[in-house]
């Protein structure tokens, strides 16, 4: 399992970056140049028609704090904890709220990029990815799917769930 995840790092990076780009493009209503991101997602079974459907919907992208599913959100500590997680790794989302799904996906993409660049620290980056996806990203994507129910949001949630399970398997096999 460890070798599979190592070999898949470049594809995982492209997937997270493409998802971040498409969600950000929808939020900013800049959906004209999405073909490269769509091509990157075709490898995981997300087709261009479901992407077009998602981009064409009127619903706004929800911020994670707007979704009442986490105990952190309920206690008012959600944003502080999220920002601390970002800060601990040197990540700072620019021109976007830290709990926007695009920022969260971009953060995981950056962790994967570091994993590729620093293979000796791969396990540490896998731990960070697993913890972040489980603690923050899955809630945000579940909320996104609830607010904008379509094939694209279902496919995102499924793909990230699979990635989360692969990370767990790799971490427990070590």
């Amino acid at each position: 399992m460890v070798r599979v995840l190592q070999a898949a790092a470049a594809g995982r990076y492209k997937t997270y970056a493409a998802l971040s780009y498409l969600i950000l493009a929808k939020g900013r209503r800049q959906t004209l140049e999405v073909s490269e991101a769509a091509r990157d997602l075709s490898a995981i079974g997300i087709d261009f028609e479901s992407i077009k459907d998602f981009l064409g919907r009127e619903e706004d992208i929800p911020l994670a704090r707007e979704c009442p599913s986490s105990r952190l959100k309920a206690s008012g500590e959600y944003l502080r904890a999220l920002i601390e997680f970002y800060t601990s790794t040197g990540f700072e989302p620019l021109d976007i709220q830290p709990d926007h799904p695009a920022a969260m996906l971009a953060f995981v993409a950056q962790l994967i990029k570091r994993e590729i660049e620093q293979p000796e620290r791969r396990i540490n980056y896998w731990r960070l990815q697993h913890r972040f996806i489980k603690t923050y990203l899955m809630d945000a994507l579940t909320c996104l799917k609830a607010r904008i129910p379509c094939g694209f949001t279902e496919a995102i949630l499924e793909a990230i769930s699979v990635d989360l399970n692969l990370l767990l398997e790799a971490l427990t096999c070590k």
Side-chain angles (χ1 to χ4, degrees), residues 153-172:
T153 56
E154 288 176 23
I156 292 174
L157 193 56
E158 182 179 333
I160 303 305
S161 293
V162 167
D163 194 49
L164 180 64
N165 288 330
L166 288 173
L167 285 164
L168 179 61
E169 285 184 41
L171 289 168
T172 55

Side-chain angles (χ1 to χ4, degrees), residues 92-110:
E92 183 179 344
L94 302 175
D95 300 326
I96 190 169
Q97 292 293 319
D99 60 333
H100 192 287
M104 295 176 162
L105 289 159
F107 175 66
V108 176
Q110 286 304 306

Side-chain angles (χ1 to χ4, degrees), residues 29-77:
R29 310 280 193 264
Q30 300 170 340
T31 59
L32 295 177
E33 298 184 26
V34 299
S35 58
E36 185 176 342
R39 203 170 29 255
D40 289 340
L41 296 177
S42 67
I44 61 166
I46 299 177
D47 63 67
F48 192 68
E49 289 305 312
S50 67
I51 293 169
K52 282 186 357 186
D53 176 49
F54 170 73
L55 294 173
R57 291 180 175 250
E58 294 297 318
E59 300 94 335
D60 289 331
I61 303 292
L63 300 176
R65 72 187 108 153
E66 297 170 354
C67 303
S69 61
S70 169
R71 62 179 167 72
L72 289 172
K73 289 176 227 162
S75 70
E77 295 293 315

